[in-house]
């Protein structure tokens, strides 16, 4: 499992101001900490970056590369900023992201090809968010076809089904899992990724890791290739590294219909079991789901 660290982000209370002031220290520290925590890629998210986005992305890539050799995922909707970042990347970059909106597609696919980068194929359609697993399949076929036409091979395409918060739409949470089980057949050789923390957006901070971890295990059942994650959650990193096989096996058995007796489980297993029930829609999400 490839872990892409999410924390270098314009939305962050400390790093946002550092980016705007071009103050390298906090950004260098975060990049170093993410690398030490076990990240495989670092995501650099500068948002829409309408003002001087190209200069900001170039500066960010150079700042991060001064302290780590890890490959980078460049996260911006501004194609001029994207190219400025790609131009200075020293390893094969990941373009985060290319979606099916015609203007984005036309601007970004040529960049992926020109810089021999990989790309995240975000399944955001002309009409916005896909409604179910079926629409995700149709978008995948469309996106992969257009990337192939541009000369981008499947191995460089990481499909992202777009994870929604559990507190917003449980059907979308289930659709992403269902879609992952079909991806290998509809797009052989393509990779996959998700913005994992999206699942717990809007839930209390101390409860977020349990939702993130459990959803990661559920997605792993269908061979998830990578995820954009909070790499400072050490239990999450252990799961991704295959160091918690008993939890993985419990969650996957439950997804196959097994209903374990909670009294027979360890306290940690009980937390995962209760969270699986919420994420597969068997029990309703509430902030107190672990207490019930
Ligand atoms: N798919 C792709 N890219 C993505 C996403 C996706 N990039 C952005 C996002 N989703 C994934 N990255 C994050 C980064 C931070 C948080 C969630 C997802 C987050 N941060 C905390 C918060 O906002 O409360 C803390 C912020 C801080 O550091 O202060 O939740 O789906 N391709």
């Amino acid at each position: 499992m490839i872990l892409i660290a999410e924390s270098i982000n314009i939305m962050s209370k400390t790093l946002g101001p550092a980016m705007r002031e071009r103050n390298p220290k906090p950004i260098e520290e975060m990049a170093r900490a993410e690398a030490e925590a076990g990240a495989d890629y670092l995501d650099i998210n500068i948002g829409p970056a309408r003002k001087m986005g190209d200069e900001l992305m170039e500066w960010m890539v150079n700042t991060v590369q001064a302290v780590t050799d890890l490959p980078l995922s460049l996260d911006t909707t501004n194609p001029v900023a994207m190219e400025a970042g790609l131009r200075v990347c020293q390893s094969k970059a990941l373009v985060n992201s290319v979606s099916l909106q015609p203007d984005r597609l036309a601007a970004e696919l040529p960049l992926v090809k020109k810089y021999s980068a990989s790309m995240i194929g975000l399944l955001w359609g002309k009409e916005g968010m896909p409604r179910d697993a079926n629409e995700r399949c149709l978008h995948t076929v469309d996106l992969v076809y257009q990337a192939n036409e541009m000369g981008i091979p499947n191995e460089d395409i990481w499909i992202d089904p777009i994870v929604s918060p559990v507190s917003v739409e449980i059907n979308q949470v289930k659709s992403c899992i269902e879609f992952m089980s079909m991806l290998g057949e509809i797009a052989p050789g393509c990779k996959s990724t998700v913005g994992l923390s999206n699942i717990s957006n809007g839930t209390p901070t101390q409860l977020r890791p349990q939702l993130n971890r459990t959803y990661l295990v559920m997605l792993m059942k269908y061979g998830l290739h990578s995820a954009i994650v909070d790499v400072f959650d050490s239990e999450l990193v252990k799961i991704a590294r295959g160091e918690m096989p008993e939890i993985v096996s419990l969650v996957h058995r439950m997804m196959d219909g097994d209903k374990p007796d909670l009294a027979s489980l360890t306290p940690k297993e009980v937390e995962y079991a209760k969270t699986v029930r919420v994420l597969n829609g068997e029990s309703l999400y509430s902030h107190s789901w672990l207490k019930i």
Side-chain angles (χ1 to χ4, degrees):
M1 166 88 57
I2 301 292
L3 296 179
I4 305 168
E6 71 180 12
S7 300
I8 302 177
N9 191 321
I10 190 94
M11 304 292 279
S12 147
K13 275 190 221 59
T14 49
L15 299 191
M19 289 184 201
R20 285 183 280 271
E21 293 156 14
R22 306 291 191 270
N23 171 15
K25 265 273 157 44
I27 294 153
E28 290 168 0
E29 273 167 26
M30 181 58 82
R32 242 189 238 112
E34 288 185 324
E36 261 164 40
D40 300 300
Y41 275 75
L42 306 188
D43 191 60
I44 298 184
N45 185 341
I46 63 164
R50 286 193 196 88
K51 272 201 317 197
M52 297 198 292
D54 49 346
E55 194 262 331
L56 174 59
M57 186 59 103
E58 180 180 346
W59 180 80
M60 285 294 292
V61 169
N62 287 329
T63 300
V64 170
Q65 285 183 156
V67 297
T68 175
D69 294 329
L70 287 176
L72 305 177
S73 156
L74 305 188
D75 198 343
T76 177
T77 45
N78 174 346
V80 179
M82 184 62 77
E83 177 153 26
L86 287 170
R87 210 180 285 125
V88 291
C89 271
Q90 282 159 13
S91 354
K92 185 178 174 95
L94 182 59
V95 169
N96 185 7
S97 55
V98 179
S99 73
L100 278 162
Q101 288 156 292
D103 47 331
R104 298 275 309 272
L105 206 60
E108 282 155 358
L109 281 184
L111 292 180
V112 175
K113 178 66 185 167
K114 179 175 174 187
Y115 292 91
S116 305
S118 305
M119 58 176 264
I120 295 182
L122 191 75
L123 300 183
W124 185 267
K126 289 188 194 115
E127 285 132 48
M129 186 76 180
R131 275 157 289 195
D132 55 19
N134 213 34
E135 222 166 72
R136 287 181 166 84
C137 289
L138 294 172
H139 287 350
T140 300
V141 171
D142 194 359
L143 193 54
V144 170
Y145 174 80
Q146 303 211 45
N148 290 167
E149 284 285 286
M150 186 65 62
I152 300 162
N154 284 14
E155 66 193 43
D156 285 340
I157 305 173
W158 304 24
I159 297 293
D160 181 342
I162 313 183
V163 168
S164 305
V166 64
S167 56
V168 173
E169 237 292 41
I170 190 62
N171 286 321
Q172 288 285 21
V173 173
K174 293 196 282 181
S175 290
C176 283
I177 304 265
E178 187 191 352
F179 168 76
M180 280 301 308
S181 75
M182 313 195 291
L183 177 61
E185 262 181 73
I186 58 167
C190 282
K191 293 168 175 164
S192 53
T193 197
V194 293
L196 188 68
S197 302
N198 299 6
I199 192 74
S200 61
N201 249 329
T203 68
T205 309
Q206 73 278 14
L207 299 176
R208 293 189 66 171
Q210 190 58 43
L211 288 165
N212 298 343
R213 293 165 191 163
T214 309
Y215 200 49
L216 183 71
V217 179
M218 292 173 79
L219 290 162
M220 282 166 63
K221 187 169 199 283
Y222 302 110
L224 184 71
H225 170 73
S226 75
I228 306 166
V229 301
D230 173 8
V231 81
F232 301 116
D233 178 352
S234 57
E235 188 164 318
L236 184 86
V237 174
K238 272 177 77 177
I239 290 167
R241 299 292 176 235
E243 289 163 20
M244 295 183 68
E246 65 298 331
I247 291 290
V248 173
S249 131
L250 169 70
V251 170
H252 291 182
R253 270 187 281 123
M254 287 182 71
M255 292 169 75
D256 287 331
D258 191 28
K259 302 214 182 317
D261 175 9
L262 294 189
S264 71
L265 303 178
T266 66
K268 187 182 285 298
E269 286 170 340
V270 170
E271 297 217 322
Y272 279 89
K274 286 183 172 178
T275 310
V276 171
R277 286 181 184 168
V278 169
L279 291 174
N280 68 18
E282 276 173 65
S283 44
L284 210 56
Y285 176 80
S286 79
H287 294 343
S288 57
W289 89 95
L290 289 173
K291 302 240 159 54
I292 297 167

